[in-house]
Amino acid sequence: QVQLVESRGGLVQAGDSLRLSCAVSGRTFNIATMGWFRQAPGKERDIVAAVIWSAGTTYYANSVKGRFTISRDNAKNTVYLEMNSLKSEDTAVYYCAAARFGRNWYRANEYDYWGQGTQVTVSS
């Protein structure tokens, strides 16, 4: 089993920055891919960014490319999501997720473990 615990999100203004972290524990050797997803009210859970656990290769949704950065610290078993130039449309519950394989990094059903989610609200 793998446990994921996200840091607290928050309420920020448009244009602000915010960093989320996800502490990973348990059978971390099983993890191939880590991802951040988000879900706004009434919408599906969408990929934000993903990182290959061993190689560090990163992937981004087009909507956040150039504004968000995903990174991981293997020594600390932690994944980060640095969010810059936040917009009101970034408002959502953000989830950290881990996949044992994750060949399709953008698909939520590829991920085996999920954090509890953290609310990020961007006011305009």
Side-chain angles (χ1 to χ4, degrees), residues 43-62:
K43 295 189 176 181
E44 293 187 354
R45 190 170 299 188
D46 292 328
I47 186 69
V48 175
V51 60
I52 304 301
W53 187 249
S54 57
T57 309
T58 57
Y59 303 94
Y60 295 93
N62 287 335

Side-chain angles (χ1 to χ4, degrees), residues 60-92:
Y60 295 93
N62 287 335
S63 58
V64 305
K65 203 171 289 185
R67 298 189 299 123
F68 290 13
T69 302
I70 188 172
S71 62
R72 91 271 188 259
D73 186 331
N74 289 17
K76 295 182 178 180
N77 283 344
T78 302
V79 178
Y80 303 96
L81 183 68
E82 182 75 34
M83 304 183 289
N84 298 316
S85 302
L86 282 161
K87 305 175 181 179
S88 57
E89 50 262 46
D90 295 318
T91 295

